[in-house]
């Protein structure tokens, strides 16, 4: 078996982790002059809106972009520019210190206001969005900023937490958050675990990317398979190996 595996391995053109800039937006992304906004739009088409009854804006994890580009620094730079321009918001999801969600600002505003329709907290939330959206590059806000810069009262801050646009970080500070995102996080974690399990249980712990993407969703995998494939590649939970048959994904021990 070892000899057979060695012969198979000899046909592979091995690449380093993160050197896989896997198959693209429509399947071929290039780092030169990369348009991260277009990549975000592509990844967001993989987000399952119906799964949440269209109550959530499309959400992409920042590291999913790394599955499309070799240059992590370039991705980070363009993401920061989009945030500074007020086009994009970033959120710390909490289940992993390296997991940052990205949402287009207009999508966020639309879904937040949709959820606030008819509620007493609407006025406070509208005020918060007016302060937040022009050029927000903050992941969290301390009490001094909320009171002195944004001019919110303690009562209004409580309303913002109740509405879900803020969650408590620690005493006197709050994370910017996506209302009703708990279900998304639950499904995302379960799906990641299940998809990694598919890779691990494959022969030699390896599977062609196209084969994995073609697997049907299950009770454990509720998102499109491609959504999870971009996740496990970008988070370096699998290695990418270029073969004559396409990109092979290899399970990384220790996951």
């Amino acid at each position: 078996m070892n000899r057979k595996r060695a012969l198979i391995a000899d046909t592979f053109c091995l690449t380093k982790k993160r050197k896989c800039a896997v198959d693209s937006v429509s399947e071929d992304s290039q780092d030169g002059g990369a348009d991260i906004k277009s990549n975000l739009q592509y990844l967001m088409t993989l987000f399952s809106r119906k799964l949440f009854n269209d109550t959530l804006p499309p959400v992409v994890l920042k590291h999913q972009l790394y599955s499309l580009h070799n240059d992590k620094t370039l991705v980070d730079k363009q993401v920061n520019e989009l945030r500074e321009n007020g086009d994009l918001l970033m959120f710390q999801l909490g289940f992993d210190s390296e997991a940052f969600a990205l949402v287009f600002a207009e999508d966020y505003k639309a879904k937040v206001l949709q959820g606030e329709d008819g509620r007493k907290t609407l006025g406070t939330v509208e005020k918060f969005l007016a302060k937040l959206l022009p050029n927000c590059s903050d992941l969290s806000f301390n009490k001094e900023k909320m009171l002195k810069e944004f001019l919110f009262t303690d009562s209004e801050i409580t309303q913002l937490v109740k509405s879900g646009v803020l969650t408590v970080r620690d005493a006197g500070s709050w994370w910017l958050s996506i209302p009703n995102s708990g279900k998304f996080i639950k499904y995302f974690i379960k799906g990641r675990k299940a998809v990694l399990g598919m890779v691990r249980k494959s022969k030699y712990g390896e599977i062609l990317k196209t084969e994995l993407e073609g697997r049907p969703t299950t009770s454990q995998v509720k998102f499109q398979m491609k959504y999870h494939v971009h996740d496990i590649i970008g988070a370096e939970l699998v290695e990418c190996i270029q073969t004559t048959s396409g990109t092979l994904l290899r399970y990384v021990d220790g996951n």
Side-chain angles (χ1 to χ4, degrees):
M1 183 179 292
N2 289 338
R3 185 168 177 266
K4 182 179 179 181
R5 183 167 183 176
L7 288 171
I8 293 172
D10 285 342
T11 67
F12 296 156
C13 177
L14 292 160
T15 61
K16 295 181 180 179
K17 288 183 192 177
R18 188 72 83 190
K19 290 295 181 186
C20 177
V22 189
D23 317 314
S24 91
V25 187
S26 66
E27 293 288 310
D28 288 309
S29 189
Q30 299 295 328
D31 279 340
D35 184 352
I36 298 303
K37 189 171 183 177
S38 293
N39 294 161
L40 280 167
Q41 290 168 336
Y42 158 69
L43 289 169
M44 286 177 180
T45 66
L46 304 178
F47 181 80
S48 305
R49 289 172 178 256
K50 290 182 179 179
L51 195 58
F52 308 100
N53 297 317
D54 206 26
T55 58
L56 287 180
V59 180
V60 167
L61 280 295
K62 187 174 78 165
H63 65 258
Q64 287 175 307
L65 289 166
Y66 302 156
S67 73
L68 297 171
H69 295 282
N70 290 331
D71 193 340
K72 179 180 174 182
T73 302
L74 173 68
V75 172
D76 291 348
K77 178 182 177 182
Q78 291 198 20
V79 164
N80 288 336
E81 287 174 356
L82 288 169
R83 293 172 66 203
E84 289 165 3
N85 292 338
D87 293 328
L88 194 67
L89 297 172
M90 190 159 82
F91 307 82
Q92 165 58 256
L93 291 181
F95 69 88
D96 183 335
S97 62
E98 297 301 313
F100 297 100
L102 300 174
V103 176
F104 283 123
E106 286 304 310
D107 292 337
Y108 180 78
K109 179 181 179 181
K111 290 304 172 188
V112 168
L113 293 179
Q114 175 184 306
E116 284 296 305
D117 187 35
R119 296 183 180 179
K120 294 180 179 179
T121 51
L122 176 60
T124 303
V125 170
E126 287 179 327
K127 176 182 172 184
F128 179 71
L129 292 175
K131 300 276 187 181
L132 173 76
L133 297 181
N135 55 353
C136 178
S137 56
D138 293 323
L139 292 175
S140 63
F141 308 90
N142 59 33
K143 191 165 186 177
E144 182 178 6
K145 181 164 187 171
M146 291 298 293
L147 295 176
K148 296 184 179 179
E149 184 176 332
F150 282 7
L151 303 177
F152 284 103
T153 64
D154 286 327
S155 175
E156 287 176 323
I157 294 172
T158 300
Q159 289 181 44
L160 294 173
V161 173
K162 185 177 180 180
S163 72
V165 296
L166 293 179
T167 56
V168 176
R169 179 179 182 180
D170 51 40
S173 71
W174 302 267
W175 291 111
L176 178 64
S177 64
I178 307 167
N180 307 308
S181 59
K183 195 174 183 181
F184 163 77
I185 294 170
K186 177 183 175 182
Y187 287 168
F188 179 80
I189 293 172
K190 287 180 69 175
R192 172 191 275 188
K193 184 177 179 181
V195 172
L196 277 175
M198 293 177 190
V199 180
R200 180 174 56 81
K201 292 173 185 176
S202 298
K203 192 173 183 179
Y204 305 132
E206 300 167 346
I207 187 172
L208 283 170
K209 176 174 171 284
T210 51
E211 181 184 339
L212 183 60
E213 290 176 340
R215 293 277 182 93
T217 55
T218 66
S219 60
Q220 298 297 309
V221 183
K222 298 182 183 293
F223 296 120
Q224 292 188 51
M225 288 298 297
K226 281 190 175 184
Y227 191 86
H228 283 298
V229 171
H230 284 295
D231 163 50
I232 63 175
I233 292 172
E236 295 186 337
L237 300 175
V238 292
E239 288 182 81
C240 294
I241 301 166
Q242 302 305 327
T243 79
T244 55
S245 300
T247 301
L248 189 79
L249 305 181
R250 174 179 289 166
Y251 183 79
V252 175
D253 289 334
N255 289 329

